[in-house]
Amino acid sequence: MNSIDKYRQDTIQPAWLMDFFDSHKVDIAELAAVVNMDPDTLLDEQGNMPQIAYLKLVEWAADRFQMPHLGLWMAENHDTSQFGVIGFLYTCSSNFGEFCKLLQRYQRIIMTGSEFQFIDDDDLIEARFTTSIDDVELTSHAAEFAMGVMIDTIQTFTKNLWHPVKTCFAHSVIEPENDYANLFGSNLFFNQAHNSFWFERSLFELTLNSATPELLPVMTAQANRLLADIEERHDFLGYVRLQLRAQLTNEAFDMEALAKQLNMTSRTLHRQLNQLGFNFNSLRIDLIMEMAKEALLKSDAKVTDIAQELGYSESSAFVRVFKRNEGMSPLQFRKSHAA
C-alpha cells in the first residue's frame, strides 16, 4: 500500500492551491503524475484531494517555483470564497469568537485529518493546528498556510497589523526567516511540540463591520447538511484519534469532553467505540505509546521530557504504562532498536 492509499480517507478541498496552479499553467495531469495518481481521481466529485497528495504537491510547488514560503504566500493572497461554506460562515459571524466556534464545529467540511483547536491558557487562547500526518517537515507549508490564514482573519477583525503573542512551529525554520514577520511578528519558536499561536482572549469580542448575521441560520443549516454527509462517509475512529491526539496533554479532556466535541452524548460515544472494539482509555494509551515510541526512536530526548510532553507529571507513571504495554522500559526499547 503506497502512502496515498494509506491516507486516502483524510482529504482537503484545496481551492487555494488549485487556483495557484491554474495561474502558473500547471495542469491536472502533471499534478497527478507528481503524486503517482490517476488524473481522474486526484480530485473527487466534491473537489476533495487526499491530504497526503495535497501536502506533497505544496512541497513540490514550493521547490519548482522557488517559493520557500509558499504557505505564507498563499495565506497572504487567499480569498474567502476559496473556503466554501466556511468562508460564508466567516462573513456571517457577529464576532471573532463566534467564528472560532463555527470553525471548530464545521472545519471538517473542507478538511479531514487536520484541524484547529482553541485551548484556554489563562488570559490567552492557544490556536493549535494539528494533522494526522506525523512528518512535521512535510506538513510545514500547510501549517504555515493554515495559521497564516487565521492570523490574516484576526487582522481583518482588528483592522490593523496585529501579531500573535507567541507562535510555535513543529518544523525547522524555513529561510529567509524574516518572511515570517508580516503575519507572525518576531516572537517565533521552531522545532516545538505543536503548531500553535497565542492571542488575547479579548479578541473574541471583536466584530466585523461587514458581517451579515441574519444569514447565519441559513448558512449553518447548509453546513449541517454537508457535515452530516461527511461524517457518514468518513472514518469515525480516525476522527476520534485526531481529537485525542490534539488534546493528549490536556488532563481535563475526558470521555465527556470528547463526546461534546463530537456533538454526541458520552453514552453514544461509548457505544459506538465499543461496537468497533475500542474504548476511550485504550485509544488514548495507544496514541501515547505510538508517540512515545516515535520520540524514543527519532530523537535523543530524555525519558522525563518525553513523559512530560505526553501529559505525565511523573516520569515513573509513564515508564510503568510503557513497560506494561511493551514488556520493557522506554530505555530498553530505545536500545533494542538502536542501529
Side-chain angles (χ1 to χ4, degrees), residues 19-199:
D19 286 348
F20 172 84
F21 285 132
D22 285 344
S23 68
H24 287 76
K25 310 301 182 185
V26 182
D27 63 28
I28 195 76
E30 184 176 0
L31 299 178
V34 171
V35 292
N36 194 29
M37 290 183 67
D38 189 306
D40 293 333
T41 60
L42 182 59
L43 294 170
D44 66 16
E45 294 179 355
Q46 289 77 38
N48 297 307
M49 176 184 291
Q51 178 183 230
I52 189 70
Y54 165 73
L55 296 174
K56 288 180 179 295
L57 286 173
V58 175
E59 183 179 52
W60 173 80
D63 181 62
R64 171 168 173 174
F65 297 103
Q66 299 182 2
M67 299 175 68
H69 281 291
L70 178 58
L72 296 184
W73 185 91
M74 289 194 298
E76 292 181 304
N77 292 275
H78 78 278
D79 186 272
T80 304
S81 63
Q82 293 171 329
F83 299 93
V85 70
I86 297 296
F88 285 112
L89 289 172
Y90 157 72
T91 61
C92 295
S93 301
S94 59
N95 57 50
F96 181 60
E98 182 175 55
F99 170 68
C100 289
K101 290 179 181 178
L102 292 169
L103 174 64
Q104 192 157 306
R105 171 67 180 133
Y106 295 112
Q107 58 193 323
R108 278 168 51 77
I109 293 173
I110 62 169
M111 58 183 181
T112 63
S114 299
E115 68 172 10
F116 272 103
Q117 295 278 340
F118 299 97
I119 304 168
D120 288 339
D121 189 1
D122 294 328
D123 292 331
L124 300 176
I125 299 294
E126 176 191 354
R128 180 182 298 180
F129 178 73
T130 61
T131 176
S132 59
I133 306 297
D134 295 326
D135 187 336
V136 296
E137 300 306 327
L138 177 62
T139 59
S140 60
H141 295 291
E144 291 186 0
F145 169 71
M147 294 202 295
V149 169
M150 279 299 300
I151 290 169
D152 184 75
T153 300
I154 295 176
Q155 290 178 351
T156 302
F157 277 95
T158 60
K159 305 175 185 65
N160 58 44
L161 194 60
W162 174 91
H163 292 134
V165 175
K166 179 177 75 171
T167 303
C168 291
F169 296 101
H171 57 271
S172 304
V173 62
I174 299 175
E175 299 292 348
E177 187 172 354
N178 59 9
D179 282 4
Y180 291 98
N182 191 42
L183 285 172
F184 295 99
S186 58
N187 196 18
L188 311 176
F189 301 87
F190 297 89
N191 299 308
Q192 301 298 301
H194 304 288
N195 291 300
S196 299
F197 68 88
W198 282 257
F199 61 88

Side-chain angles (χ1 to χ4, degrees), residues 261-295:
Q261 188 70 36
L262 296 171
N263 198 32
M264 62 177 64
T265 66
S266 55
R267 183 176 180 179
T268 299
L269 174 58
H270 176 77
R271 183 178 67 253
Q272 291 193 20
L273 288 177
N274 188 59
Q275 289 172 348
L276 296 171
F278 293 93
N279 60 58
F280 177 86
N281 288 331
S282 68
L283 283 173
R284 186 174 181 278
I285 292 299
D286 284 348
L287 278 174
I288 288 173
M289 296 304 300
E290 175 186 321
M291 296 174 72
K293 287 188 285 186
E294 182 179 5

Side-chain angles (χ1 to χ4, degrees), residues 210-230:
S210 59
T212 53
E214 64 274 9
L215 295 178
L216 187 58
V218 177
M219 296 312 304
T220 53
Q222 180 181 347
N224 282 329
R225 288 192 294 271
L226 291 170
L227 190 61
D229 179 59
I230 290 169

